[in-house]
Amino acid sequence: MRSRDVKRLDTHDLEEVCGENGERMQFNKLLFLFSTIVVCASAAHFLEQEWNLWKSKYGKQYDTEEIELNRQEAWLATRDLVHKHNQLAELGLKNYTLAMNQFADLTPEERASHISLGLKGQLAISHHTHIRHGNLPVIPDEYDWRNSKCVTPVKSQGECGSCWAFATVSLIETRYCLDKGKQLIFSEQQLVDCDKANDGCDGGLPVKALEYVSKNGIMKSNDYKYKEKQGKCLFNSNNAIKMKAKKYYYVNGEANMAASVATNGPLTAGIGVNDEFMLYEKGIYDGTCADGPNHAIVVVGYGRNYWTVRNSWGDGWGEAGYVRMKRNINQCSIGVMPATMEFTFN
Ligand SMILES: *[C@@H]1O[C@H](CO)[C@@H](O)[C@H](O)[C@H]1NC(C)=O
């Protein structure tokens, strides 16, 4: 263990202190030293316990002791950062808190580069892409598609850069339910394996995936289960729900986004996420971001000053799998490439 807290326990340090004072050390000093050691020991004990609890909560296993020590060192640094941030939040100096979540055992650099999150490519505005301009309808101050009971449970992409598939499937699940009145859970793995316009676990674009689905249909998740890695395409057309795309929308800017969400339904968007964002716990995220979009998500609603964003990092991340992002400041580039599609299902 190499943390500061734990290092205070080193017998080496203890000897130094003792050596300095030598025999002249008075009883009360000894007593003080002794109580310090006890306090340190119990702090170290609690820290060790916290580490073990965290590991079991997130199912972390490390191959070697050396790897574990490295991870624990990163975890302690994250813990420091999270505590400092949350103290500021408690003082009202931050609008969101951070958590010791599944990314806590990575260094900030690793979190940033871990971003095999999977948004890849520029938004291609093809001939059937409509760009909505002007004529904004009057919309409510707040909207949340989760109230429709047609936003399916949050999923986890795991260690695969398949955010683009998760965002796409989530959009289709909600559209299907709104149209048919029941929830079906569809297959991200089909997109990861079979959509050759995208790059499986190496990234993709929801707009292209939506085109793939409107051409081929999509299987249910139970019939084509998520494997967290790319494999052979096992698509069976007979087993797929077919749909026809009516319109693609590239929804230009945040005012259009709100109009589209309120009148049409959820939309996919790209956001630029970084190491800080990955530790988000709750509140309205107005923190730091990556330079441009690198992660695909779904906007399922909005409040007066935030977007309600569905993520694909499990329901243990953020606000039950969601993050509220500050609205109308193009926070993390959220207004750069929002897109949606209207379907008719067979
Ligand atoms: C929190 O949000 C409010 C309202 O958007 C903003 O004015 C304020 O600057 C934010 N606080 C911090 C510390 O960023």
Side-chain angles (χ1 to χ4, degrees):
M1 265 192 268
R2 297 172 219 171
S3 86
R4 266 178 290 126
D5 291 334
V6 180
K7 196 164 167 248
R8 268 183 273 154
L9 283 176
D10 279 4
T11 48
H12 171 71
D13 292 349
L14 191 59
E15 276 159 18
E16 260 178 24
V17 173
C18 292
E20 271 168 29
N21 293 282
E23 287 168 30
R24 276 167 298 154
M25 182 183 280
Q26 285 160 6
F27 177 70
N28 57 353
K29 276 193 185 161
L30 249 176
L31 193 65
F32 172 75
L33 188 63
F34 180 68
S35 64
T36 311
I37 294 167
V38 172
V39 169
C40 288
S42 65
H45 175 70
F46 279 126
L47 217 50
E48 195 66 30
Q49 213 170 30
E50 198 180 317
W51 167 244
N52 288 328
L53 280 173
W54 179 87
K55 276 194 301 179
S56 78
K57 180 172 177 188
Y58 291 102
K60 300 277 180 172
Q61 278 167 350
Y62 305 104
D63 288 344
T64 67
E65 202 169 319
E66 194 191 343
I67 294 174
E68 172 149 1
L69 282 174
N70 279 327
R71 291 302 115 202
Q72 191 179 39
E73 193 175 8
W75 180 86
L76 283 164
T78 307
R79 189 176 175 277
D80 225 40
L81 184 149
V82 166
H83 282 202
K84 283 199 181 107
H85 178 101
N86 290 352
Q87 272 167 4
L88 294 177
E90 224 162 90
L91 296 170
L93 299 173
K94 294 282 181 187
N95 287 324
Y96 59 97
T97 57
L98 301 180
M100 293 297 287
N101 62 21
Q102 68 262 44
F103 304 117
D105 62 346
L106 303 174
T107 65
E109 297 74 29
E110 285 168 336
R111 271 193 294 278
S113 67
H114 182 78
I115 305 182
S116 69
L117 299 166
L119 183 68
K120 195 160 138 186
Q122 294 299 310
L123 183 63
I125 301 174
S126 54
H127 61 278
H128 44 217
T129 302
H130 295 246
I131 303 191
R132 291 167 64 96
H133 285 301
N135 298 337
L136 289 175
V138 177
I139 55 167
D141 289 336
E142 302 184 339
Y143 210 91
D144 192 339
W145 281 100
R146 289 175 296 184
N147 296 333
S148 72
K149 306 270 182 274
C150 277
V151 176
T152 50
V154 168
K155 307 179 199 179
S156 177
Q157 69 186 83
E159 299 288 319
C160 164
S162 52
C163 63
W164 58 274
F166 282 82
T168 305
V169 165
S170 165
L171 200 70
I172 296 166
E173 285 169 350
T174 300
R175 288 281 179 185
Y176 180 86
C177 173
L178 291 172
D179 197 56
K180 300 288 189 191
K182 64 171 181 178
Q183 283 192 14
L184 283 188
I185 306 300
F186 293 120
S187 170
E188 289 82 11
Q189 193 64 40
Q190 181 194 334
L191 296 182
V192 169
D193 293 347
C194 309
D195 176 7
K196 301 304 177 198
N198 285 310
D199 270 337
C201 288
D202 291 329
L205 266 186
V207 177
K208 290 187 192 166
L210 285 167
E211 287 193 50
Y212 166 87
V213 172
S214 85
K215 276 195 203 109
N216 300 280
I218 191 154
M219 288 168 70
K220 286 185 259 178
S221 179
N222 274 340
D223 296 334
Y224 201 151
K225 290 207 171 66
Y226 190 58
K227 296 198 273 294
E228 221 178 301
K229 56 177 193 273
Q230 188 170 4
K232 206 174 81 186
C233 177
L234 303 172
F235 177 59
N236 176 355
S237 181
N238 297 329
N239 230 344
I241 303 284
K242 299 283 170 38
M243 67 205 76
K244 202 168 155 45
K246 283 200 299 192
K247 265 181 190 169
Y248 298 80
Y249 288 114
Y250 164 54
V251 185
N252 186 21
E254 288 188 86
N256 276 325
M257 272 172 75
S260 181
V261 168
T263 58
N264 287 317
L267 44 82
T268 68
I271 55 176
V273 312
N274 66 359
D275 57 294
E276 187 188 15
F277 178 90
M278 291 171 92
L279 299 174
Y280 166 84
E281 180 180 49
K282 60 182 192 299
I284 297 178
Y285 190 76
D286 54 7
T288 59
C289 310
D291 284 345
N294 59 12
H295 185 45
I297 45 78
V298 176
V299 177
V300 300
Y302 59 84
R304 284 169 194 271
N305 63 347
Y306 61 86
W307 296 109
T308 304
V309 168
R310 174 191 161 104
N311 203 352
S312 49
W313 295 343
D315 59 11
W317 183 87
E319 297 180 334
Y322 289 80
V323 47
R324 282 179 291 158
M325 306 272 294
K326 177 105 175 158
R327 187 179 152 198
N328 292 335
I329 57 166
N330 196 27
Q331 173 68 359
C332 301
S333 312
I334 196 167
V336 170
M337 51 191 298
T340 187
M341 187 183 276
E342 282 177 28
F343 298 103
T344 48
F345 293 88
N346 294 359

